[in-house]
DNA sequence: CATGAATGAGAATTCATTCAT
DNA sequence: CATGAATGAATTCTCATTCAT
């Protein structure tokens, strides 16, 4: 079995000769990117080691030097997709100031922008990840965690809005869930049935939608 | 290559020879059901001919007698899922009477109920279909068509509501898209991250959501 | 295992009801013709039972009612091809009178005409038979016998010519073999590389060739 | 799909890494030889990947590493058979000097010697190739090309002889075709009906045959 | 680190043959 | 006789993974 090196730990000072500086992190990044590339185009099943390697410009053997097996690459990709989304949300929230409604809208913008200013491959790949999650416990765990994190955040943002407007927060969870499913559904439909959704419908409509849902809650 | 017989062709009555009546339709149904079963549990890639056959109680060779290849089974399944959903929507719309708002709500109920009173396997399978659609043109075509049909219907229902309330129908398409993505997202999240969504959130929240969106349109 | 009925023996008086007249011979003929058809176009390997059946307008099950297995059909076809050739040779020899040279020329005409006035499928099929003969002892036996018969006949004709011209018959076997190989080669090349051979070259050139060979034998 | 590497590409000299030198050419040669072996004995249909691998002492998976599919192996074999024959003809022509008649005889010797001093498997294999050519366009193309090349060469040689003897070259094409078919027929009959042809008849008889044909042409 | 040949366990598909009706 | 569903063995091809160099 292959040894898994801790990421970032340079494997230096290993022989008597001049040690080659470790490029593990770079290589792992390349490989994950290769998977993203292939998976977005062809799905996970066709993402063979050879195909990933070709997309990454690396040889099959090398993939197994840096990853123990194929699934580890998928896991790394899911982690990366989640991290990227997370970072974008974080950034936009930071820029949105303190007004609850503004922050909620910023969250929606950040999420849906995944398909606009960001890597469109990520949208397709995320759709595939959802299908892989059905059968692969480890992927499911990561997907569930990513979705759960989003949901918690949304709930907090929704609650803040409701509180500010002195409305009951009783349904905050459901409202958050509605937003979340609309976002996930938008990813999925735009990946699997491109052209069906109206151009640029997502962000404005979702924001109006959540505004309507907030307003429908009774004042306390 | 296997020939696909016209479904339902009755055994011909020629002379004294009355061979066994064709059971092709029944068998094809069994096989499609086997795929539904396996796919909901394990995804399409793991839905091997052997696995489908086992789930259907049939031998591998027989699957290829009734279907030319594996993809044809998938196509038949997608067609069936779409038809079932369509039938349910049709039935509920018929029962909903003529009030536009009622009909729109009935549509949402019918769609989301896919995961409640109906086959929960269909939800998972539909999530997998979305991923297969990314790479398989024929599946994509069917998925796109199914989604497109839903969208048209929703748009008509939304427009009717808006007209009744004397509001502009300018954004009918976007509102319909929001509902559609929320429905598709609900399927997906509940299949790929079960337990994350609040129990029974979907139908009531989606109805409230669409009501809010309708109300936000300006009167004409 | 299937029972093989003697050909031509009608299977009558078999039940209490009005016996269906046997159509075995007709059916067997159809089937052999189906094989000829498919084999000429696609080779023996692609001549599946289903394909033969389709070409013959019969169902797979029926083929195995009339033939014990696939190879028996091939054997019947080889026998038929040989018989047809034989009959044509016989007919032309009968029409050629008694002059040895004339008879020899008639033989060549009859053989090569296989590809001209006769079924062109037979030429292709015969080429395929040669390949099957390499591995199938039973086919090889039939092919060898057919070729052996031709060779003996040719040798006799050649000897008669030589004797008439008072030449040594020492090389009659070799001359006959040369004619035979040229005939067989013409079949093969025209089947496997159509268009390469000059149109209608065969009969006149072969006759001139054998005349040259005869003349080269020394007088005794 | 397997990629076909340029044959003969030397291992690159980059940095300290000197991986194992490619043995692709050697392996491909082994595999083609395995096919030759099996095909000569059992025909193409029985030349399964497993059988070829066994004959070559390689595992089935490896065959598909070096060849994209089974047919590519066949194509490589046909190319090799044609090249070998071509090389032998070339060599004998070179050794035959300038006399036209001598060169023509050398050609016949070279061709027919395929079955004498050379690999007898090649004769059988060539017979099988002819049958495969009937259905496989790529094989047919190669076979047609090989036969066409032989025919052109023969025609040139025949014409040279006729010119030297001041005879008309009008029938050069037909004479060449006669020689060609006799050669091809000799291959075929000796492969498919071994023992029927007189021992060692081919070369001398064919030479006498062509001499007779040449002499029959009228002087100009 | 890197290469790519090698392996072997599947997976889809084909097809002769059987057999209930 | 006839049908065509059913079986199961065989076959091609794929691919993750290993490993010598």
């Amino acid at each position: 079995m292959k040894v898994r090196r801790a990421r970032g730990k340079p494997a230096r000072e290993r022989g008597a000769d001049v040690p080659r500086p470790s490029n593990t992190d770079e290589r792992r990044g390349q490989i994950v990117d290769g998977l993203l590339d292939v998976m977005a185009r062809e799905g996970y099943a066709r993402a063979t080691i050879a195909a990933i390697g070709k997309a990454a410009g690396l040889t099959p053997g090398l993939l197994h030097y840096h990853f123990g097996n194929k699934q580890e690459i998928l896991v790394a990709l899911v982690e990366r997709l989640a991290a990227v989304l997370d970072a974008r949300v974080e950034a936009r929230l930071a820029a949105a100031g303190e007004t609850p409604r503004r922050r909620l809208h910023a969250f929606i913008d950040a999420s849906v922008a995944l398909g606009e200013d960001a890597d469109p491959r990520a949208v397709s790949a995320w759709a595939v990840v959802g299908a892989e999650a059905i059968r692969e416990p480890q992927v499911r765990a990561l997907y569930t965690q990513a979705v759960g994190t989003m949901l918690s955040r949304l709930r907090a943002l929704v609650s803040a809005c409701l509180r500010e407007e002195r409305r009951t927060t009783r349904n905050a969870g459901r409202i958050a869930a509605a937003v979340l499913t609309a976002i996930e559904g938008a990813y999925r439909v735009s990946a699997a049935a491109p052209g069906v959704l109206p151009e640029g419908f997502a962000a404005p409509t979702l924001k109006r939608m959540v505004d309507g849902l907030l307003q429908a809650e009774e004042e306390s």
Side-chain angles (χ1 to χ4, degrees), chain A:
Chain A
M1 306 299 159
K2 287 277 86 86
V3 206
R4 201 74 39 262
R5 277 148 312 292
R7 279 65 104 8
K9 182 183 69 148
R12 310 216 170 181
E13 274 84 46
R14 215 176 359 167
D17 47 18
V18 184
R20 191 175 349 205
S22 170
N23 55 3
T24 296
D25 285 340
E26 188 195 339
R27 285 280 179 268
R28 286 177 66 98
Q30 277 181 63
I31 293 167
V32 168
D33 205 65
L35 174 58
L36 170 60
D37 210 66
V38 178
M39 205 160 93
R41 271 185 292 113
E42 316 231 42
Y44 183 63
R46 292 224 182 135
T48 66
I49 291 289
I52 299 169
K54 192 176 173 186
L58 301 173
T59 56
L62 201 49
L63 299 219
H64 276 92
Y65 182 82
H66 291 292
F67 287 94
N69 56 45
K70 203 181 136 183
Q71 182 170 325
E72 282 184 12
I73 311 180
L74 176 60
V75 168
L77 172 59
V78 175
E79 283 171 345
R80 191 168 97 179
L81 289 174
V84 164
L85 177 55
D86 211 61
R88 178 160 37 219
V89 167
E90 212 62 74
R92 302 234 184 165
L93 281 184
E98 293 302 320
T99 327
R101 185 68 59 113
R102 251 210 172 105
R103 292 173 63 79
L104 181 53
H105 285 186
F107 185 99
I108 291 172
D109 280 331
S111 300
V112 173
L114 180 56
E116 288 173 353
D117 70 85
D119 195 345
R121 298 177 307 169
V123 176
S124 295
W126 195 242
V128 175
V129 165
E132 278 305 300
I134 290 173
R135 68 169 152 179
E136 210 50 80
Q138 206 176 348
V139 176
R140 180 160 58 240
L142 289 167
Y143 178 79
T144 302
Q145 186 188 323
V147 162
T149 302
M150 273 184 76
L151 191 57
S152 309
R153 264 191 162 141
L154 269 172
R155 198 166 36 222
L157 292 170
V158 164
S159 291
C161 288
L162 290 170
R163 268 196 305 275
E164 196 197 36
E165 301 180 7
R166 300 180 191 285
R167 297 179 192 274
T168 174
T169 60
R170 195 188 334 132
N171 291 316
R174 290 184 187 167
I175 295 171
V179 176
L180 176 70
T181 57
I183 291 172
E184 282 286 309
Y187 289 164
R188 171 172 148 106
V189 174
S190 66
V196 167
L197 296 180
E199 196 69 24
F201 97 99
T205 311
L206 262 60
K207 283 184 273 191
R208 216 175 312 166
M209 168 188 124
V210 73
D211 289 347
L213 284 169
L214 292 173
Q215 209 168 347
E217 295 303 296
E218 62 186 19
E219 306 187 16
S220 61

